[in-house]
Amino acid sequence: MTDLLITAERFPIRGRFTIARGSKTEAAVVTVELRDGAHVGRGECVPYGRYGESVEGVVDQLAALQKLIAEGLRREDLMTVLPPGAARNALDCAMWDIDAKRAEMRVYEMAGLPAPQPVVTAYTLSLDTPEAMAQAARESGHDLLKLKLGTEGDLARLTAIRAAVPQARLIVDANEGWTAENLEAHLAACAEVGVELVEQPLPAADDAALAQIARPVPVCADESAHGLDSLDALAGRYDALNIKLDKTGGLTEAILLARAAQAAGLDIMVGCMVGTSLAMAPALLLAPLARFVDLDGPLLLATDRDPALRYEGSRVYPPEPALWG
């Protein structure tokens, strides 16, 4: 019999994490453990209010499955009992973890994925004044920076940051904060300073303008892209999609989505919510399929789990089995 343990946890953020929709000072996560007496499998998710999720709601979703899990619910059947989202992500990743331990294999081997290698991850700069973001960029020491934009003053922010770090690679994430009226001007400014990718410039429900203009910088879907059923709607509007396990509902559907996106000619970013190393570890298995990796969640926290992922400079290293997988 397999037992399910569900824990709501909070991890303080170093300082404050700010995007166009607001700020937070802690990461609220839900952790799942599956125990069969000989093995333990773990997973973590980050419930996200933008998608109608809460910690309490996710805990309730998972608790409702106690009986099914005790009776032997398999990972292959999980997609039929939970919708895509945070709850399914935590449970799916825990199932991968315990299945790998039972089989005495690594998850990437079981999934037919390449062995993960150290990879450059983006480092996120919170939305702030042009001067503050330029200073943060100078002090970051990272090769690939992700700039949170999406409010008045973004053109000044771009100029200030590029002047501060002329050699850094830049990604922009507007978090749905631009409009059809200012879209072309903002994309042109991004192209001028050498931005390599722009994430979700328009609201997910109002992004038709992306198909009607030239895109001098590739545009990546985030809030517009969830699971497999959202892929067709991206055609003509986006050049890439940000795959986050909390959106797809776990590694299982994330792998399917990544392969379908490649077949559709879309580039892949593998991204994250602000969570601990336990949430990043499964996502790292998608890094060999991705053009961009944005798995810096633990770097934004004041404290991480132990054991944790190893970050050195701009690189993050694959997880050890003691953490996950």
Side-chain angles (χ1 to χ4, degrees):
M1 188 174 77
T2 302
D3 293 322
L4 169 64
L5 287 77
I6 309 161
T7 308
E9 300 179 88
R10 295 182 181 274
F11 291 82
I13 289 173
R14 187 184 299 114
R16 182 180 296 270
F17 183 74
T18 302
I19 66 173
R21 281 190 292 270
S23 300
K24 62 180 182 178
T25 57
E26 62 181 10
V29 311
V30 177
T31 306
V32 162
E33 285 193 3
L34 297 174
R35 297 177 175 267
D36 64 7
H39 309 93
V40 178
R42 300 192 301 158
E44 176 187 308
C45 69
V46 183
Y48 196 35
R50 168 66 177 80
Y51 304 135
E53 296 174 332
S54 67
V55 169
E56 296 77 12
V58 165
V59 169
D60 288 345
Q61 279 183 289
L62 292 166
L65 299 179
Q66 292 270 12
K67 185 172 183 291
L68 282 177
I69 289 169
E71 293 172 348
L73 179 69
R74 300 180 307 163
R75 175 173 45 81
E76 293 80 4
D77 301 321
L78 188 57
M79 292 168 69
T80 67
V81 298
L82 275 179
R88 197 175 80 190
N89 176 34
L91 189 51
D92 180 77
C93 290
M95 286 178 163
W96 276 106
D97 193 25
I98 198 169
D99 287 350
K101 290 178 168 65
R102 288 166 174 162
E104 298 184 346
M105 296 175 64
R106 299 305 304 272
V107 170
Y108 73 84
E109 297 174 299
M110 296 176 59
L113 294 169
Q117 303 295 324
V119 63
V120 171
T121 178
Y123 179 76
T124 303
L125 301 184
S126 284
L127 181 65
D128 208 326
T129 66
E131 297 76 16
M133 292 186 75
Q135 182 67 16
R138 271 191 297 266
E139 295 173 353
S140 73
H142 287 266
D143 299 329
L144 177 61
L145 298 176
K146 177 171 172 174
L147 318 178
K148 288 291 188 179
L149 302 181
T151 64
E152 192 71 27
D154 282 348
L155 301 183
R157 292 183 181 97
L158 285 168
T159 301
I161 292 165
R162 175 48 83 202
V165 285
Q167 303 304 319
R169 298 172 59 204
L170 301 179
I171 297 170
V172 159
D173 186 359
N175 282 117
E176 305 180 277
W178 295 347
T179 67
E181 290 71 31
N182 65 29
L183 176 63
E184 289 187 272
H186 281 94
L187 289 179
C190 287
E192 186 173 346
V193 300
V195 169
E196 297 182 23
L197 191 73
V198 172
E199 275 189 78
Q200 200 66 45
L202 300 180
D206 190 19
D207 61 359
L210 289 168
Q212 300 162 7
I213 65 166
R215 299 190 293 270
V217 179
V219 175
C220 178
D222 184 359
E223 287 85 351
S224 290
H226 293 263
L228 278 166
D229 60 357
S230 64
L231 186 59
D232 289 347
L234 307 182
R237 302 183 183 190
Y238 295 94
D239 309 289
L241 77 161
N242 188 342
I243 298 178
K244 295 177 180 175
L245 272 58
D246 276 312
K247 294 190 300 177
T248 65
L251 181 62
T252 301
E253 186 158 343
I255 294 170
L256 297 174
L257 178 58
R259 290 173 172 157
Q262 287 180 318
L266 293 169
D267 284 329
I268 294 167
M269 167 187 276
V270 54
C272 65
M273 307 301 185
V274 181
T276 77
S277 285
L278 181 57
M280 306 302 121
L284 269 169
L285 271 59
L286 297 176
L289 309 180
R291 182 178 175 191
F292 297 96
V293 173
D294 177 27
L295 297 175
D296 64 341
L299 298 178
L300 306 176
L301 300 177
T303 58
D304 194 7
R305 297 188 186 275
D306 183 18
L309 289 173
R310 177 159 62 105
Y311 289 85
E312 291 185 358
S314 296
R315 293 185 176 272
V316 56
Y317 286 73
E320 297 296 330
L323 172 61
W324 184 87

